[in-house]
Amino acid sequence: MVTKYLVVLAKRLPTSTPCRNPFSPFANRNLINHVRCISTLREKLTDLTPKVRAFVEESIDLCQPDKIHICDGSEGENNALLKLLQQNSTIKPLPKYENCWLARTNPADVARVESKTFICTDRKEETIPTPKTGVKGALGNWISPKDFDKAIDERFPGSMKGRTMYVVPFSMGPVGSPLSKIGIEITDSAYVAASMRIMTRVGTPVLNQLKKHEEFVECLHSVGTPANGVVDVPSWPCDPERTIILHKPADNLIVSYGSGYGGNSLLGKKCFALRIGSTIAKREGWLAEHMLILGITNPKGEKKYIAAAFPSSCGKTNLAMMTPSLPGYKIECVGDDIAWMRFDSNGVLRAINPENGFFGVAPGTAHNTNPNAMKTIFKNTIFTNVAETSDGGVFWEGLEKELPKNVKITDWLGRAWQLGETKTPAAHPNSRFCSPAGQCPIIDPAWEDPKGVPISAILFGGRRPAGVPLVYEALSWSHGVFVGAAMRSEATAAAEFKGKVIMHDPFAMRPFFGYNFGDYLKHWLSMEEKGQMPKIFHVNWFRKGSDGKFLWPGFGENSRVLDWILRRIDGEECFEETAIGRIPAKGALHVDGMKEKVDLDQLFSLPKDFWMEEVEDIQRYFDNQVGNDLPAKVAKELNELKARVYKM
Ligand code: OXD
Ligand code: MN
């Protein structure tokens, strides 16, 4: 069989190898005969459909695991995985809660590694726009097919020796929905297998679905072993030096090596649902986006759905689960991170949340910021890199007021930590909870509707301390696409960046584009021909006043902004035109009854010097990063904005 791993297979000879992983079920044996083991392993594969079987067999040949486990998604299997992880000290129980666990990673494996994440296409221009000469492209990384093979060849042969290979069949979206897609993740991490069970729908129903339609995305993952063979943290094997995350859209293939955490290893999330997902979406005429989806019901009982794209750590989970302060409103959550949106036969844009769980940033989550998350995350949850309390619970920045008296805290690195004393954070800023979405008390009744929910508005936003008003409405679909393209935000801890620099993050997708951003923009522009387009808005909860304090309280008070948005969707003339778009007319934003007095003039002020700089920055960004790939319609929108700003 011609395989994509041909290079590797040709070189490999079957060998007898000592078992390297002390936690392997084979650890007490001195020698493992891979050849014999693998032939036994293969007998387990007879139930798989031919394509799945071929993928698993190729992966066995390449990675040479000692054992194979095909995940059925059952409760018993989950308990066994958790037990194994406990034995290996990867997780420990948190007795204060129901079925909750704490994992600590190797401190070198704490976030997505954007610089080591690549898309493989024949031609570079298919993956990234050509930046201006002398400028480093910041819209993704390209790898050639030759280097793609080489990267695998250098890392994967024998990477699972002494380990168990878990085969995780998973569905992104409800199993069987016409909007869903299937993946098979092959991994040597039991932590990944257990987390995938929370984040996606896994197991036998997915394998059965494959019998009807045998199409899936191949996802191969190994935590790897450093080149010198020394595993620094035996409870969290990884190979940070050689970590690499590879995507090959032409083959619907994801290959990830060296990291066991988050988007690097739970391959359904960023790798599949966004990077490969966006390439499938382009081919098939839909949108795969880094967006939460919420349902909002107004006091008259009218319900609408909104999708919103914010960069990582900008409060997507908080907005998706918001407790509205505005009387009579109700929010229900469909998803907090990813939306797949497609037109139905009536031209209505419908969205599903392809995920099954929340992989939320823990710090900042508290009863005052997100009470619904707090009601969601204290059962059946795997916490990673949060701090631990002596009463068997968890702690992170933001929970100070909720800390029981006299408990001792151990930080994410396992060191004693004292509130008000220790200068380093108790929890890693990118520490997470991984919880089943169905546990959310305000999960939307339609969150698993195979048809998806109808989307009435799309929000873009980010952390903009200066110049950008609380909310504005785009003037048209193509202006909205421009607003998405021009999005900027302060850097976050979800990736490897440091400091509070304002980064361009178009559509909150900068780390997640599966193909050339210019083509992505063309695809977005083309959607207008396909059906009724939702209105587009830009929101900014993070503007600061001259005293450096936030001008808007955010959280539940954001319902006031959603109220204005809903009224705009209904066609109410509650707006005023400005150079950048439509903002609430004087008195149109309902601020009555707010606890804090808000300086609306500052919140909506549009300083001319700021906007002159902003348009120049956007121009520079487009020139430097997108060049000739920028669609003319987007360039025109920028020119029109410039002209309006100059006249301000
Ligand atoms: C995430 C991210 O993990 O966006 O959701 O980084
Ligand atoms: Mn995200």
Side-chain angles (χ1 to χ4, degrees), residues 269-270 290 312 316 337 512:
K269 198 174 181 58
K270 306 299 182 182
H290 192 200
S312 313
K316 284 213 297 297
D337 197 41
F512 309 124

Side-chain angles (χ1 to χ4, degrees), residues 426-440:
H428 186 276
N430 191 37
S431 54
R432 302 277 180 149
F433 52 80
C434 178
S435 309
Q439 289 180 188
C440 176

Side-chain angles (χ1 to χ4, degrees), residues 464 486 488 502 504 610-625 638 642:
R464 297 303 307 266
R488 303 172 72 191
I502 306 277
H504 284 270
F610 171 90
W611 278 96
M612 297 266 280
E613 233 174 86
E614 182 77 359
V615 286
E616 288 313 319
D617 248 315
I618 298 167
Q619 178 76 67
R620 204 171 315 119
Y621 180 70
F622 286 170
D623 288 349
N624 285 346
Q625 294 291 334
L638 174 58
K642 257 192 204 174

